[in-house]
Amino acid sequence: MSPVTDPARESAPEVPADGGLTTGAVARLLGVAPTTLRSWDRRYGIGPAAREDGRHRRWTGADIAALRNMCRLTSAGLPPAEAARTVLAGTSREAPVPPSGRASRASGPLALGRARRECRGLARAAVRLDAPAMDELLAAVLDRYGLPAAWDEVMMPVLHAVGRKWETEGERYIEVEHLLSWHVSGALRAFAAARPPAPGAGVSLLACVPGETHTLALEALAATLARQALPVRMFGASLPAGALEEAVRRTGPVAVVLWAQSRSTASRSLVARVGAIEWGVRGARRRPAVLVAGPGWTGELPPEVRCPAGLADAVDVLATLGAR
């Protein structure tokens, strides 16, 4: 998932004299869930340089600058682990658009570099068009790492690499990307089918905006929610605006997630219309929370629109909303 930076948040407040901001204050500043900040600290080392009394996080201006860079890279589609390595190395780079965006170029067999062993194995199986091997490897990484780690650190990097490869090779490797995408989608569905939704939790509605056909990131989100027994309705690619609005009225979701891969499909008017839909009895009318995801959402959006920083952040937000 991809965040959209709110210009109003670009100016960090003055760092307090006691040495930094709390995690909650930084989360509000950047529009990122506190659990995501703690996860980045724990898993990737993107954390505060100082801790009050040796325990509590206090984020300095330099720490916040690193977080902004982390958000920028993940919002452009770079896996969190790779984005963190870039931030910690002190380098600046343009993160690749997911494979459906075709914006990145690379050389080498699949340009996976020092990727984990599972990435290399999956990439090689995809190039061989070895469907059984892909299914076995995908099931293994999901079982070993779970979602969203398997998505962030194995599936998405390989999808990026395959997309970059066929971009540099003309029409070659298109069949590799199509087959890999199909099997990733199947693996996500199989993984999600393990648990029925918990009764009483609010449902989340996921859809690509009209004209948008790239669904895998939303499929990963749908699978993660289902695996956590959170009700979800996944409407897939290019749902017409009228059908989307009718689905919101009929399902009464606690949240709607709209994916846009490109700026040309990211419709702010649709966001406003969905956010204004009401249902319920008079005097207790409700509206859905609206989340936008994908690299197409750039620039300013209404302050009530949420912009998750990645798959884990989106799950945290939706789980919190569904529990209300």
Side-chain angles (χ1 to χ4, degrees), residues 55-289:
R55 298 185 308 276
H56 301 294
R57 296 171 171 84
R58 306 295 295 186
W59 302 80
T60 66
D63 297 330
I64 294 170
L67 285 176
R68 289 191 188 282
N69 198 19
M70 185 76 174
C71 290
R72 178 183 63 82
L73 292 169
T74 56
S75 72
L78 204 68
E82 189 175 348
R85 286 193 294 269
T86 300
V87 172
L88 292 173
T91 58
S92 177
R93 61 175 289 180
E94 191 69 24
V97 174
S100 47
R102 314 285 185 256
S104 300
R105 295 179 179 272
S107 58
L110 277 178
L112 284 168
R114 295 183 297 172
R116 64 169 72 245
R117 174 175 52 84
E118 292 90 346
C119 289
R120 295 193 295 271
L122 180 59
R124 289 166 182 159
V127 170
R128 296 195 309 268
L129 303 183
D130 188 340
M134 281 191 285
D135 286 338
E136 182 177 349
L137 286 163
L138 288 165
V141 297
L142 284 166
D143 182 64
R144 181 173 182 180
Y145 301 111
L147 273 167
W151 170 258
D152 285 340
E153 299 180 24
V154 179
M155 297 178 186
M156 189 162 59
V158 176
L159 286 162
H160 285 169
V162 170
R164 290 194 297 266
K165 185 63 178 176
W166 85 250
E167 172 71 10
T168 62
E169 298 286 344
E171 292 299 309
R172 294 183 60 198
Y173 292 98
I174 292 179
E175 73 284 1
V176 175
E177 183 186 30
H178 279 241
L179 188 67
L180 176 61
S181 297
W182 174 259
H183 284 269
V184 167
S185 178
L188 292 171
R189 287 174 180 268
F191 191 75
R195 297 185 63 185
V203 67
S204 296
L205 188 157
L206 317 182
C208 292
V209 297
E212 183 55 68
T213 60
H214 305 103
T215 65
L216 276 180
L218 278 189
E219 290 181 49
L221 176 57
T224 309
L225 294 173
R227 186 72 176 186
Q228 296 188 17
L230 296 170
V232 60
R233 301 291 183 270
M234 169 61 174
F235 287 86
S238 192
L239 185 65
L244 172 61
E245 294 173 36
E246 180 63 20
V248 172
R249 293 188 187 96
R250 292 180 61 186
T251 60
V254 295
V256 178
V257 182
L258 299 176
W259 176 272
Q261 183 76 19
S262 66
R263 294 183 184 182
S264 63
T265 61
S267 170
R268 283 158 177 75
S269 63
L270 179 60
V271 169
R273 293 201 306 275
V274 170
I277 296 174
E278 295 184 333
W279 63 87
V281 299
R282 183 173 298 179
R285 305 285 282 174
R286 298 173 55 196
R287 294 182 181 182

